[in-house]
Amino acid sequence: SNLKTEFISSGKSKKDIFNILCRAFLKSQVKKRICETTPQHIFYIEEILQIFPQAKFIIVYRDGRDTVSSLLKMPWRPKGTLNNAKFWSSYIETGIELEKKLTNTNLMSISYESLMENTEVICTRICDFIGESFESPMISGMEECEALYADWEASWKHKSQESIDSSRIGSWQKELDEDEQRLLEYVIFPQLKKLGYQAKKPQLKLKLQLRLAKANLEFYWRALLRFITNAIN
């Protein structure tokens, strides 16, 4: 096949192999661009740019309280408010540092809330950033798309087939009880403030201080076990 021939004749570098796979995928889908949405790539953006200096990256920030509230429902995420709060915070701090280092040629950031509330305006900005013209079907007619996700992902990705709306903004206030809300705001307050979200660092009652101390102890104990296991292996 042509794909096999390309692999044989290529230089077999990671860049060569990735480019071959991308070209094959684009041809099969009759598309001209690849959009990769793996969140963990934020930790490797500088390395990716060394290989693909023309790459474009878009960071979407979302209120951490809503994000954690959603993550708590994900079957693939560890349980616990603290675990997911620290997970969100690590991504946010990485994004903020990247904004300081990279130019707006390679990186742009938007907020989830602005995307939901001013969809056409934000999507036009995104199109300008990647060098495309905005067209209204980009934000409508999602029901016509095929296989946006695998069947096993349906429980948390089904809304990608629905019309864009802002109903999920502020959902944490309905989905988390008062103790969870206070604990979450206490833990992620620094990042919420950096991103400009309205928040006040709450005072924690003794029972929540003890709960936080216990959760921190468990978190760092698991981290230590992972480090030891990786070192042994």
Side-chain angles (χ1 to χ4, degrees):
S1 67
N2 291 336
L3 187 59
K4 182 178 180 180
T5 301
E6 282 197 77
F7 272 121
I8 294 173
S9 61
S10 75
K12 296 185 178 61
S13 70
K14 292 179 181 179
K15 181 176 181 178
D16 291 334
I17 293 172
F18 184 76
N19 281 336
I20 291 171
L21 293 173
C22 284
R23 286 196 297 269
F25 179 76
L26 289 171
K27 184 178 180 180
S28 70
Q29 300 296 310
V30 196
K31 303 292 183 181
K32 66 176 184 177
R33 282 186 181 275
I34 288 284
C35 179
E36 225 299 317
T37 59
T38 303
Q40 290 88 337
H41 286 170
I42 195 171
F43 299 110
Y44 305 100
I45 284 180
E46 291 180 282
E47 294 176 43
I48 293 171
L49 281 173
Q50 291 177 5
I51 302 173
F52 299 100
Q54 303 305 315
K56 304 278 188 177
F57 298 91
I58 301 171
I59 297 176
V60 182
Y61 293 118
R62 185 185 183 188
D63 188 322
R65 295 162 292 193
D66 279 336
T67 303
V68 171
S69 180
S70 291
L71 288 173
L72 288 170
K73 304 187 194 76
M74 298 299 105
W76 40 266
R77 282 297 305 158
K79 295 180 180 180
T81 301
L82 182 67
N83 279 326
N84 289 289
K86 287 182 176 293
F87 176 80
W88 177 81
S89 297
S90 67
Y91 279 78
I92 296 306
E93 290 295 344
T94 300
I96 291 172
E97 287 303 310
L98 285 168
E99 287 193 81
K100 295 176 183 177
K101 296 179 181 179
L102 305 182
T103 69
N104 56 15
T105 300
N106 293 111
L107 181 73
M108 77 173 291
S109 62
I110 60 175
S111 75
Y112 169 89
E113 293 78 15
S114 64
L115 179 60
M116 293 298 101
E117 295 175 330
N118 301 288
T119 305
E120 185 169 332
V121 172
I122 301 302
C123 284
T124 300
R125 280 184 54 206
I126 292 172
C127 286
D128 290 341
F129 174 66
I130 65 174
E132 295 288 348
S133 298
F134 172 77
E135 297 178 6
S136 56
M138 292 176 178
I139 57 175
S140 62
M142 292 301 294
E143 67 280 356
E144 300 174 3
C145 296
E146 297 180 4
L148 287 178
Y149 47 81
D151 290 342
W152 62 273
E153 300 174 299
S155 65
W156 68 89
K157 288 190 175 181
H158 64 280
K159 285 186 175 292
S160 61
Q161 293 277 36
E162 300 174 7
S163 298
I164 296 172
D165 69 79
S166 57
S167 63
R168 292 293 298 164
I169 297 175
S171 59
W172 64 279
Q173 298 176 74
K174 296 172 286 188
E175 297 174 352
L176 302 178
D177 63 37
E178 186 175 341
D179 281 352
E180 290 291 333
Q181 291 181 26
R182 294 178 70 84
L183 186 62
L184 179 56
E185 285 196 292
Y186 183 88
V187 172
I188 66 173
F189 174 76
Q191 288 76 35
L192 290 173
K193 186 176 180 180
K194 288 179 182 179
L195 294 179
Y197 289 104
Q198 293 295 316
K200 292 183 179 180
K201 189 172 185 177
Q203 295 294 319
L204 295 185
K205 296 178 182 179
L206 179 59
K207 69 172 184 177
L208 288 183
Q209 292 181 25
L210 293 174
R211 181 176 167 184
L212 179 60
K214 180 176 180 291
N216 269 315
L217 183 61
E218 292 174 348
F219 178 86
Y220 290 114
W221 173 246
R222 284 193 295 268
L224 178 60
L225 287 178
R226 285 195 299 272
F227 174 79
I228 294 173
T229 300
N230 291 336
I232 293 174
N233 294 333

